[in-house]
Amino acid sequence: MKFGISTASFFGKELTENTFDIMSRLNIKGAEVFLTTYYEYENSFADLIKQRKGDIEIFSVHTLNTQFEPQLYNNAERTFKDSLNFFEKVLYCAKLLNAKEYTFHGPARLKRREYVFDFADLGKKTNRLIEIAESYNVKLAYENVHWAYFYKPEFYENLKKYSPKLKTVLDIKQAMQSKIDYREFVKVMKDSLINLHLCDYDSSGKLYLPGRGEFDFKEFFKFLREFGYDGFCTMELYSGDYNNYEEIKTAFLYLKECADKAGYKIEL
């Protein structure tokens, strides 16, 4: 298993391009690059990240998705093409950095009602995005998010019937915020699961560094190993979850220790 951290963990404290020096000092060798603004979607910024990342392996790219991802499902072709422009810029960045996947949220659930989905139509539109991503040698991976379409396992279970090539990312924090056991998501993700987003939390929903909350990471990694998962593992924090970077290092080592005790071979 390969371990890394999301550059989003430093949002508000460091510019994205400066986070790699910090990772190197903390001996973190893997990362997800979280692009947070239109400026960072430009090809020139991707070139800068390639120069600054050093020997850190980039697992995946992520975006501040509400800026354009929902409109990738818009029926108006002009609207779709505008959002596609940003989508392809991010894919260029992923290809340049040799990232294996694009962590995707898709449309948000803005209205407080139960949504009824046309999965055949969603599948058709998702397959179009998958094909575009594949042209950049990148896999599209849908992440479970409590405020987006994929907020419960049934959504992906139905969508994959029409988009069998779609990959997934498990976010344990988002599963908790959906009030659904993470195991229920893993059961429908199955072989499509290629990345994890991890932090810690308590029964009130307050977020912490791994090892400081109440989440049982030892049981988590044991479950994943028995399930057959051996993909990426990305620590994703909020900048308010810690006071200094040494705390990040301690939490990162804790995650690796839990995985090691579960029988995983740690590559990064």
Side-chain angles (χ1 to χ4, degrees), residues 77-131:
E77 189 68 11
R78 181 181 294 176
T79 304
F80 168 77
K81 286 184 176 179
D82 274 354
S83 55
L84 181 63
N85 177 51
F86 292 109
F87 184 59
E88 294 208 70
K89 286 181 178 181
V90 177
L91 290 170
Y92 168 84
C93 179
K95 183 176 181 179
L96 187 69
L97 300 176
N98 294 316
K100 301 299 186 293
E101 59 102 346
Y102 178 123
T103 299
F104 185 71
H105 285 183
R109 295 183 298 118
L110 298 178
K111 298 180 180 180
R112 296 184 179 181
R113 59 171 173 78
E114 188 68 22
Y115 279 57
V116 178
F117 300 108
D118 181 344
F119 286 102
D121 182 63
L122 285 174
K124 180 180 178 180
K125 291 173 180 175
T126 301
N127 290 338
R128 186 177 185 181
L129 301 178
I130 291 171
E131 290 176 3

Side-chain angles (χ1 to χ4, degrees), residues 197-212:
H197 280 177
L198 305 180
C199 67
D200 207 340
Y201 54 82
D202 64 21
S203 58
S204 73
K206 180 175 172 56
L207 304 181
Y208 297 90
L209 289 166
R212 293 190 175 181

Side-chain angles (χ1 to χ4, degrees), residues 55-82:
D55 62 354
I56 292 173
E57 180 178 346
I58 306 302
F59 304 155
S60 53
V61 295
H62 203 339
T63 72
L64 190 56
N65 70 293
T66 51
Q67 292 172 330
F68 69 89
E69 283 185 10
Q71 301 310 321
L72 290 170
Y73 286 81
N74 197 292
N75 289 322
E77 189 68 11
R78 181 181 294 176
T79 304
F80 168 77
K81 286 184 176 179
D82 274 354

Side-chain angles (χ1 to χ4, degrees), residues 20-262:
F20 302 101
D21 289 339
I22 298 168
M23 293 179 205
S24 294
R25 294 200 301 270
L26 299 177
N27 198 32
I28 297 176
K29 301 297 184 181
E32 176 174 88
V33 174
F34 197 114
L35 305 173
T36 61
T37 179
Y38 295 109
Y39 171 85
E40 295 185 355
Y41 300 150
E42 295 300 322
N43 292 353
S44 58
F45 189 76
D47 296 336
L48 175 62
I49 292 296
K50 184 177 181 180
Q51 295 171 17
R52 298 293 297 274
K53 76 177 187 65
D55 62 354
I56 292 173
E57 180 178 346
I58 306 302
F59 304 155
S60 53
V61 295
H62 203 339
T63 72
L64 190 56
N65 70 293
T66 51
Q67 292 172 330
F68 69 89
E69 283 185 10
Q71 301 310 321
L72 290 170
Y73 286 81
N74 197 292
N75 289 322
E77 189 68 11
R78 181 181 294 176
T79 304
F80 168 77
K81 286 184 176 179
D82 274 354
S83 55
L84 181 63
N85 177 51
F86 292 109
F87 184 59
E88 294 208 70
K89 286 181 178 181
V90 177
L91 290 170
Y92 168 84
C93 179
K95 183 176 181 179
L96 187 69
L97 300 176
N98 294 316
K100 301 299 186 293
E101 59 102 346
Y102 178 123
T103 299
F104 185 71
H105 285 183
R109 295 183 298 118
L110 298 178
K111 298 180 180 180
R112 296 184 179 181
R113 59 171 173 78
E114 188 68 22
Y115 279 57
V116 178
F117 300 108
D118 181 344
F119 286 102
D121 182 63
L122 285 174
K124 180 180 178 180
K125 291 173 180 175
T126 301
N127 290 338
R128 186 177 185 181
L129 301 178
I130 291 171
E131 290 176 3
I132 295 168
E134 287 180 336
S135 72
Y136 288 84
N137 298 318
V138 178
K139 297 175 181 178
L140 189 71
Y142 220 134
E143 180 179 24
N144 63 294
V145 178
H146 77 280
W147 47 262
Y149 281 9
F150 185 14
Y151 72 102
K152 57 183 179 179
E154 292 84 349
F155 174 81
Y156 177 71
E157 192 171 28
N158 285 293
L159 181 59
K160 71 178 180 180
K161 296 174 185 176
Y162 300 94
S163 298
K165 297 173 73 174
L166 181 63
K167 303 302 181 182
T168 53
V169 176
L170 172 69
D171 189 315
I172 61 170
K173 165 189 80 268
Q174 294 289 344
M176 174 271 292
Q177 291 171 335
S178 291
K179 296 180 172 57
I180 297 173
D181 192 303
Y182 70 84
R183 297 173 184 84
E184 298 305 310
F185 285 98
V186 174
K187 288 174 184 177
V188 299
M189 290 173 169
K190 298 181 181 178
D191 293 340
S192 71
L193 180 60
I194 59 176
N195 202 348
L196 309 170
H197 280 177
L198 305 180
C199 67
D200 207 340
Y201 54 82
D202 64 21
S203 58
S204 73
K206 180 175 172 56
L207 304 181
Y208 297 90
L209 289 166
R212 293 190 175 181
E214 299 174 1
F215 186 80
D216 191 340
F217 283 101
K218 295 182 179 66
E219 173 60 29
F220 174 72
F221 284 114
K222 180 181 178 182
F223 174 79
L224 288 179
R225 180 162 171 72
E226 291 174 351
F227 202 84
Y229 179 75
D230 197 24
F232 299 127
C233 179
T234 306
M235 187 165 69
E236 185 184 56
L237 311 170
Y238 290 109
S239 59
D241 295 342
Y242 60 89
N243 297 312
N244 59 67
Y245 297 143
E246 284 303 311
E247 292 178 332
I248 289 180
K249 183 176 182 179
T250 299
F252 189 73
L253 292 174
Y254 172 77
L255 284 179
K256 295 175 77 171
E257 178 185 356
C258 291
D260 179 71
K261 289 181 177 178

